[in-house]
Amino acid sequence: MRINITDAGGLQGALDALPKHGGTVFIPAGKHKIDRPVTKTLVEGQHLFIVGEGRGSVLINTNTNGEPLLQITGVTGAWWPDLRMTIRDITFEGNHQSGDGLVVMFPNDTLIDTCFFLSHGGHAIRLVPHGTNVTVRDCWMRDCKRGVRAENIHHLTLHGNQTRRLEGGQEQEEHVYLGWDCREVRVVNNHFAYGKNTAIILDGTAQHVIANNTIEGFHVAIEARGVTEKKPRDHCRDIAITSNYLHADIGVRLTGPCRGFAITGNDFINNVEAAVRIEQASKAGKHAITGNMIRKSVYGGAFFPLSKMLPAQGGILLGDAEDCIVSNNLLDAIDPGPAISAGPGGGRHIITANRIVGAKGEPLAIRAPGCVVEHNLTV
């Protein structure tokens, strides 16, 4: 069954008219103003497809009371219901006083595809309180206070999305937030740009892959929090961070009891504070930091007379972490140094086969006990 929102008297009317087996809600091109939250609670077997005519199908949230534009609720409390949802080719436009653009509660077998989110005062997309098998792909999020928030979502994929601030727009917070009970999330092939604060927050969460992303224009590109308000004894663990381009003041920051990070094959560029910084790391560690490129902007050099004015580049700061492997990294023109540091607490690291070129200050400042430091080539 296909329901045109124009024929149904609006989006709410179209959703209310869905039969028990579900159907398609069609949003034609044009601007469709909505002054109160549109909601729909689905039942088992009531599959839903909401589709527009490309991004010219615009839903505009005109309310200024912090309320969401659209909230879809799946089967409450069920992990594997017979329920599939697809939302595609729609623009969700808000304002700085409105709430979230799209809220999907209990999302299961859900696809959010090629949608555009603009100027929401809350999140562009919020996925709560639990669900599984969710994909958000090829969406564009601009000038939203926050990007995607996921809580207790398993098997979530964020692929090919783009985020960005807007000149003269609102100050943004994180662009991706993964709560402590999310598992097996893939954040791959996205471009997160110029949010100023933090691109990705891993809030005590575990078992994810963050790969092949371009992250630029933030204070922190990826922040992992080992202690959360919900689970003060929990720790962030088992995360693969690989093949990303990380242009931020701090590339990767791990705070508290984070364990088992594989930080491999990334390009760290213009990280004025640190490429990798580990803080409050007592009894944390067991990280592998291998094969990364850490250097100033590629635009430096003889053909660029302003290259001396480029930001400094920080190195790898292990703090009081334990039992880490730091190997085969190329650290170029680290300023200020040290290029690699550890201690005074923690220790028992293997720091080997790193190439440190032109570091100002101390190339290696290893003050933690029990470390193996060998075969590093420094100038």
Side-chain angles (χ1 to χ4, degrees):
M1 182 175 182
R2 178 184 171 100
I3 305 171
N4 189 312
I5 68 168
T6 302
D7 299 333
L11 180 57
Q12 185 67 68
L15 290 170
D16 291 343
L18 276 176
K20 291 185 65 175
H21 63 271
T24 298
V25 171
F26 175 67
I27 302 172
K31 295 184 177 181
H32 308 276
K33 294 184 178 181
I34 297 171
D35 62 1
R36 66 196 66 185
V38 175
T39 63
K40 178 62 178 178
T41 299
L42 301 169
V43 297
E44 185 96 9
Q46 194 176 28
H47 309 297
L48 175 62
F49 181 27
I50 306 178
V51 63
E53 264 185 316
R55 294 185 182 180
S57 299
V58 185
L59 300 176
I60 302 176
N61 191 0
T62 62
N63 89 71
T64 56
N65 300 317
E67 294 178 302
L69 195 163
L70 174 61
Q71 179 173 310
I72 305 296
T73 302
V75 178
T76 303
W79 276 102
W80 300 103
D82 178 20
L83 179 63
R84 292 175 290 279
M85 292 178 270
T86 298
I87 300 169
R88 175 177 288 153
D89 288 331
I90 304 167
T91 291
F92 295 81
E93 183 177 332
N95 60 77
H96 296 175
Q97 287 73 48
S98 65
D100 302 326
L102 173 63
V103 181
V104 185
M105 301 187 69
F106 303 100
N108 290 279
D109 295 319
T110 297
L111 171 63
I112 302 169
D113 184 26
T114 58
C115 290
F116 183 38
F117 297 85
L118 177 65
S119 297
H120 296 281
H123 300 83
I125 301 171
R126 190 157 58 93
L127 306 167
V128 293
H130 74 67
T132 189
N133 291 354
V134 181
T135 296
V136 179
R137 71 181 185 193
D138 298 328
C139 290
W140 176 241
M141 306 170 202
R142 190 166 196 184
D143 190 38
C144 298
K145 186 67 174 181
R146 290 178 163 87
V148 179
R149 183 182 183 94
E151 298 180 15
N152 200 5
I153 306 298
H154 293 212
H155 299 183
L156 166 66
T157 296
L158 305 179
H159 178 279
N161 302 290
Q162 296 190 57
T163 68
R164 193 179 179 95
R165 64 185 291 270
L166 181 68
E167 192 67 32
Q170 63 185 325
E171 181 178 346
Q172 295 182 309
E173 300 298 336
E174 75 279 353
H175 286 195
V176 174
Y177 174 94
L178 301 180
W180 71 270
D181 42 8
C182 289
R183 294 293 183 270
E184 287 88 31
V185 172
R186 299 186 310 151
V187 182
V188 295
N189 300 332
N190 303 284
H191 190 168
F192 305 122
Y194 301 104
K196 291 190 176 180
N197 288 312
T198 305
I200 300 174
I201 293 178
L202 308 172
D203 198 12
T205 188
Q207 300 168 333
H208 309 312
V209 174
I210 301 173
N212 301 327
N213 301 286
T214 297
I215 302 177
E216 58 176 329
F218 293 86
H219 177 55
V220 181
I222 301 171
E223 177 171 337
R225 300 171 177 173
V227 177
T228 72
E229 292 183 2
K230 288 186 176 181
K231 290 286 182 178
R233 298 180 182 177
D234 208 5
H235 55 270
C236 202
R237 63 195 185 279
D238 309 331
I239 308 288
I241 299 174
T242 184
S243 300
N244 300 285
Y245 175 90
L246 303 175
H247 183 167
D249 296 344
I250 301 174
V252 176
R253 179 165 66 189
L254 313 181
T255 61
C258 297
R259 300 172 189 167
F261 277 63
I263 303 172
T264 305
N266 301 283
D267 281 345
F268 290 91
I269 303 295
N270 284 1
N271 313 117
V272 297
E273 296 186 30
V276 178
R277 171 179 283 177
I278 304 177
E279 303 173 346
Q280 305 167 28
S282 177
K283 298 182 180 179
K286 299 180 176 66
H287 309 303
I289 305 171
T290 62
N292 298 285
M293 172 72 74
I294 301 172
R295 63 181 309 193
K296 287 186 180 182
S297 171
V298 296
Y299 295 112
F303 296 102
F304 293 87
L306 296 179
S307 62
K308 292 183 179 180
M309 300 173 60
L310 290 172
Q313 175 63 53
I316 299 172
L317 313 178
L318 298 177
D320 294 334
E322 302 173 347
D323 305 312
C324 296
I325 296 175
V326 180
S327 69
N328 296 98
N329 300 287
L330 176 58
L331 299 97
D332 184 11
I334 303 302
D335 177 17
I340 302 174
S341 68
R348 303 184 303 277
H349 307 301
I350 296 176
I351 300 172
T352 184
N354 297 286
R355 181 67 170 103
I356 301 173
V357 183
K360 293 188 177 181
E362 197 173 3
L364 293 165
I366 311 304
R367 296 177 174 84
C371 297
V372 175
V373 183
E374 61 181 9
H375 304 309
N376 297 287
L377 183 57
T378 66
V379 175

